[in-house]
Amino acid sequence: MRNKTAFLIVVLGLLGVCTQAQEKTLTKEEAIALALENNYGINVAKNQVEVAGNNKGILNSGYLPTLTGTAGASYSRDDSVIEFPGQFNEDASPREDVELEKAEAQAYSSALTARYTLFDGMGRFYNYKKLKEQYQLSELQARETIENTIVQLFSVYYEIARLTENEYVLGKTLDISKDRYKRAQYAFEYGQSTKLDVLNAQVDITNDSINVLNTRQELSNAKRDLNVLLSQDLNMLYTVDTLVTFIPKIKLEAFVEQAKINNVSVLQTERNLAINSYDIKVQRSGYLPTIGLSGAYGWNLSQSAQSAFFPGTNTDNNSFDLGASLTWNLFDGGGTTVRVKNAKIAYENQELLKKQIEIEVDRDIRNAMANYENKLVIHGIQEQNVITNQNNFERSKEQFQLGRITSIEFRQAQINLLNAQTNKNLAKYDAKLAELQLLQLTGQLLNVEL
């Protein structure tokens, strides 16, 4: 048993030395910067914004004319014999056959055609505005992805911080158990205690060592989770900042008051509402005519081969044409009317959805605020509980060294202090995560220093 205890102590010491030698500190600002730069989900969202930006450009608006160029060429060569059966010359001799060899004909053509829609019932105008709204919607969707990723990032980041502090607390607990084991061993050797005290101390060292090992394993797993979010090498080692500060309540209340104009879900419903309103106008453009202009310039060169009766000819032609057109679909079987009605229904549905989301967001904010305030109170209670248990442990330690309490009573005071410290760590990071969720709901997550 003594050898096993010594082995655990050596293993824990080596693990601690290796970890401290290789790890570097990753600040909150660095974690956010790495996530914004490397996270795959965020980069996909950025690419989607870029696509929407391309779609809303003038090149996709329908306002520019089209210019089409065409060209063609053809070549032919004929070898032919023309016979005149039953025909005679003036001297009564049969008329000779006419042979044409390598009779070549060539033709070349080219043309430029320009077309421009002068008026299309205002369809492209409202479609252009719709594309701009879709771009703004894609920006809000990217922002939502970033906010969700940041919350997920700090959920893992603060879990690492919590486990780091727990590892420290458990390490201190293990040190106390080691010291108690040495005292019990010396006391037993000098006949001042029983073997039971030594065995109890060995059992406690074993349990504390296992707790430290399990916490370190959880810590390693959490760090790999964070590396995934940051798109980093899974073997990257670092420590995190365990300092947590809370935003003043008066500032949070101001954020809550402005939540309806900053919440990303509400803003997305407003953009969707604008898109649906433009859809109605785009469909209505089907009731109006389309007026277009066109122009063309062409050049043709034709070189015909000679025949038995005519010589070859060359024809060079240049042409320039202008035209205008008016197209008015006076009745399309009711298709436009149906599309307009459906667009109006979609708009009404979007209005209802907006009202639903607004009331849900209001509920979520109220719940988040209450949850945050509750977590803060719990954190304050746990801090006071640590102070109480620390005092109790110090007094128990004095009494134990004086032999006035048993090792079991001392161990219970030690466990109570350990539980109080780990519960305080949990309460602190729970409160901070509750604050982050409130900031996300109020639309301020990306606007404050975390």
Side-chain angles (χ1 to χ4, degrees), residues 358-396:
E358 284 178 343
I359 193 171
E360 288 177 351
V361 167
D362 187 42
R363 176 206 61 192
D364 292 343
I365 290 175
R366 291 172 184 264
N367 290 345
M369 189 66 175
N371 183 55
Y372 172 63
E373 291 175 344
N374 186 58
K375 297 290 186 184
L376 279 182
V377 172
I378 292 175
H379 178 230
I381 293 173
Q382 292 293 359
E383 284 186 322
Q384 185 60 45
N385 191 37
V386 169
I387 295 174
T388 301
N389 278 277
Q390 184 68 49
N391 293 334
N392 178 65
F393 174 74
E394 295 297 337
R395 174 134 335 159
S396 298

Side-chain angles (χ1 to χ4, degrees), residues 13 32 82 130 173 242 314 337 418:
I32 293 174
I82 302 173
K130 174 183 171 182
T173 302
T242 59
N314 292 340
T337 301
L418 173 63

